[in-house]
Amino acid sequence: MKLTFLGHAAWLLEENHTSLIFDPFLTGNPLASKTPDEVQPQYILLTHAHGDHLGDTIDIARKNDSLVVTTHEIAEMLSQEGVKTHSLHIGGKFPFDFGFVKAVEALHGSGIPGGHAVGFVVKFFDRFIYHSGDTGLFGDMKIIGEQYPLDIALLPIGGNYTMDIEDAAIAASWLNAKTVIPMHYNTFDLIKADPHAFVTLCNKIAPTSKVEVLKPSQNYTL
Ligand code: NI
Ligand code: MN
């Protein structure tokens, strides 16, 4: 399984002939490592509809006939744009060819009138990945960590709109993932953060997790 950081909260997950993208904000993303034409995902997982997550979803989905998995309200909006969707809601899980996607709580806005933001727990073949989406720290992350043997947790550390380094390190201590990878920082001035300070803090309070800091375009294979 290969996980590639596309910048901000956008990630490409690939295994054999299956590919999945989280929150494909590429056009206008100063850290984007690919253009929308360079990705051909079968699945797009969209945590919420703020511009820095919705990004190129419609364009990529139309070109590749990708299935967009997101919340009901955002799925309705995308269906009207001619995009193929599957809607989930908080706590809901559905099987796909590669495993399953479960929508989990995120403390954040949906980005459209009504609806919610979510995070995703994804079983991708034999691996478990948690993409928290944009979120503040919440105690039920402990349940996610107890319920699933997470291989990777992707967590925002930029603050202002989401958890900062301190809150994300507490999240890491609860999630107990084998590997934690920070995201959603340094894209804009408001979300500046030092990922190496995050590593230091995690080593102290979440010592069972290994932190990998990826630059956009870098990938992590497991
Ligand atoms: Ni947001
Ligand atoms: Mn965001």
Side-chain angles (χ1 to χ4, degrees):
M1 191 203 85
K2 189 168 98 171
L3 178 70
T4 306
F5 190 28
L6 303 181
H8 199 57
W11 300 85
L12 175 65
L13 196 52
E14 298 168 287
E15 166 123 6
N16 297 323
H17 298 293
T18 305
S19 66
L20 177 160
I21 276 189
F22 292 98
D23 292 359
F25 167 50
L26 306 175
T27 304
N29 174 355
L31 300 183
S33 61
K34 282 187 191 293
T35 66
D37 288 335
E38 291 173 319
V39 294
Q40 286 95 32
Q42 282 123 16
Y43 300 92
I44 300 174
L45 270 56
L46 182 60
T47 61
H48 65 296
H50 285 149
D52 59 320
H53 298 259
L54 178 66
D56 301 290
T57 296
I58 293 170
D59 183 31
I60 294 169
R62 279 181 181 157
K63 275 189 193 140
N64 300 286
D65 200 30
S66 323
L67 180 69
V68 182
V69 181
T70 186
T71 60
H72 177 72
E73 288 76 9
I74 297 169
E76 289 277 290
M77 184 262 285
L78 293 174
S79 302
Q80 285 168 15
E81 301 291 329
V83 169
K84 213 166 64 178
T85 62
H86 180 101
S87 71
L88 287 176
H89 224 305
I90 298 169
K93 184 170 83 177
F94 193 81
F96 293 94
D97 288 349
F98 53 81
F100 68 70
V101 178
K102 183 177 187 181
V104 296
E105 178 182 9
L107 286 185
H108 198 71
S110 70
I112 59 166
H116 296 80
V118 295
F120 292 113
V121 174
V122 181
K123 181 163 192 269
F124 196 67
F125 300 94
D126 54 351
R127 306 292 186 176
F128 290 88
I129 294 111
Y130 171 48
H131 184 302
S132 73
D134 281 0
T135 187
L137 182 64
F138 58 92
D140 284 359
M141 283 182 184
K142 287 178 191 170
I143 296 174
I144 298 172
E146 284 165 10
Q147 190 173 10
Y148 299 107
L150 298 175
D151 292 287
I152 296 175
L154 304 169
L155 301 176
I157 64 163
N160 193 72
Y161 302 111
T162 68
M163 298 188 286
D164 59 9
I165 284 171
E166 288 171 13
D167 284 1
I170 294 169
S173 75
W174 291 341
L175 290 162
N176 202 27
K178 287 194 189 83
T179 302
V180 173
I181 310 180
M183 64 175 176
H184 209 274
Y185 64 97
N186 292 353
T187 322
F188 314 111
D189 285 345
L190 275 172
I191 57 171
K192 283 216 184 301
D194 175 5
H196 301 290
F198 177 63
V199 175
T200 305
L201 203 49
C202 282
N203 288 343
K204 236 182 261 171
I205 68 170
T208 56
S209 299
K210 184 166 161 256
V211 184
E212 290 280 343
V213 176
L214 296 189
K215 293 199 178 79
S217 87
Q218 283 189 319
N219 61 63
Y220 183 73
T221 305
L222 77 169

